[in-house]
Amino acid sequence: MEKKKILSSTVKMTLLSILLGLIITAIILLAAGYNPLEIYAVIVKGVFSKPKYISYTIIRATPLILTGISVAFAFKTGLFNIGAEGQFIIGTIVASMAGYFFNLPIVIHPIVVMILAIVFGGLYGSIIGLLKAKFGIHEVITSIMLNWIALYAHNAVINIPGFFARTNKAHPIKESASIVFLDRFKNSDSGKEWLINHQAIRDILKSPVNYGIIIAIIVAVVIWFILNKTTLGYRLRAVGYNKFAAEYGGINVKRNIVTSMFISGSVSGLAGALMIMGVSKGITTLSAMEGYGLDGIGVALIAGNSPISCIFSGIFFGALKYGGTKIQAKPIEAPKEIINIMIGTIIFFVAIPRIVNVFRRIRDRKGVTE
């Protein structure tokens, strides 16, 4: 009963934060000379008015769901994985190379690519955990540094002989590594003929809709299960709540920090692999961070660090990101930064109750010690 009450309170607070975020953004829009109702209507229409818009929203949301789960998992175990961006990039590098260089059957190839991206993303994340466990280096510092190393490694890998295709672009992955839904069918003559008579399905398949969303939902359930139903999850959460009490209880804190960062990094690595296999099909030179890992922090905060809730907050984020591009078109021609203001405001209001709780805990602890 108490658990249900807490859950209900969290959901209400999140919905209230979203509402407040929309109101504050509306005030900013009015001050900037835009009609907020018109802009919100364009965003909603841009997400739901056509089947392919819904497909694009889901495609946009899939990596955000996974990076959100990655960050949420680390939060649950007492770590701040701001390095999800770097682990995501490592996942794209590994997936792109394995997708191009390996010759494997259609079903096996995507599985091998995903496993490699999970392993390398996890290993990259575990570097952060290892440095924190062995030398006490804060994970935020190492995360930021490793994000930039991953970015420059990404651009360097493109120039490897045999992998370099043309300026700023590596060779695309083989068709056998693709996870695009009905990729061969929709491009075949018989498929094109069939789709002419099925307008709605043809509209959906115009986008690179892929199996990524299914994999993301499975990962959310698996991570929730690990955290809440296994001994490993209990140990990791115990370290997150109070590492001194966990150590006193016989838990190896250092090993669990490394394990936590490995799992967190592996989820972000998988997000990068799904992006390559389902959408971009290869890597190109990056001039800046793509932002999937950083947006994952916002997804995790709105979801209250719940892996299952990350599915919904990731879709919400994806809808804002995709629908937000529509407001740049005529007749509104509003800057896309408005969407970032809206997201930032929502996260701000989501974070306020948690900040208050932190101060309450500090005050309570002082009261006990006095």
Side-chain angles (χ1 to χ4, degrees), residues 33 53 69 71 80 86 94 100 130 151 173 176 184 229 263 287 341 369:
Y53 292 167
I69 293 170
V71 175
F80 187 16
V94 173
Y100 172 67
L130 191 65
L151 175 71
I173 60 170
S176 56
R184 288 191 171 187
K229 301 293 179 183
I263 296 173
S287 57
I341 292 172
T369 53

Side-chain angles (χ1 to χ4, degrees), residues 195-264:
L195 289 171
I196 289 173
N197 300 319
H198 298 81
Q199 188 66 35
I201 298 174
R202 187 177 69 170
D203 201 33
I204 293 171
L205 294 181
K206 277 182 180 175
S207 65
V209 60
N210 57 70
Y211 298 103
I213 186 64
I214 299 170
I215 296 167
I217 292 170
I218 292 171
V219 170
V221 174
V222 170
I223 293 295
W224 175 86
F225 185 82
I226 291 172
L227 277 172
N228 297 289
K229 301 293 179 183
T230 65
T231 308
L232 171 65
Y234 174 79
R235 289 203 305 264
L236 293 173
R237 284 187 292 119
V239 173
Y241 285 133
N242 191 322
K243 65 178 182 181
F244 301 108
E247 192 168 21
Y248 184 75
I251 295 174
N252 188 329
V253 173
K254 292 181 178 178
R255 187 172 65 189
N256 279 284
I257 288 173
V258 178
T259 304
S260 173
M261 285 307 302
F262 178 86
I263 296 173
S264 180

Side-chain angles (χ1 to χ4, degrees), residues 55-121:
S55 300
Y56 274 115
T57 299
I58 292 171
I59 291 165
R60 199 71 177 264
T62 301
L64 297 176
I65 293 170
L66 286 168
T67 53
I69 293 170
S70 170
V71 175
F73 182 86
F75 271 140
K76 282 280 187 185
T77 59
L79 296 166
F80 187 16
N81 184 18
I82 204 172
E85 185 74 33
Q87 295 139 24
F88 176 89
I89 293 173
I90 293 297
T92 62
I93 296 171
V94 173
S96 186
M97 296 187 77
Y100 172 67
F101 286 112
F102 290 3
N103 288 309
L104 294 168
I106 289 176
V107 179
I108 304 296
H109 203 164
I111 295 173
V112 171
V113 171
M114 281 189 281
I115 290 173
L116 288 172
I118 287 170
V119 170
F120 279 87

Side-chain angles (χ1 to χ4, degrees), residues 89 92-101 153-174 276 279-286:
I89 293 173
T92 62
I93 296 171
V94 173
S96 186
M97 296 187 77
Y100 172 67
F101 286 112
H154 175 279
N155 291 344
V157 162
I158 292 172
N159 295 312
I160 292 176
F163 191 45
F164 175 82
R166 56 184 170 83
T167 306
N168 297 330
K169 193 174 179 65
H171 281 291
I173 60 170
K174 291 186 169 66
I276 293 295
V279 183
S280 62
K281 301 295 180 68
I283 54 175
T284 54
T285 301
L286 295 175

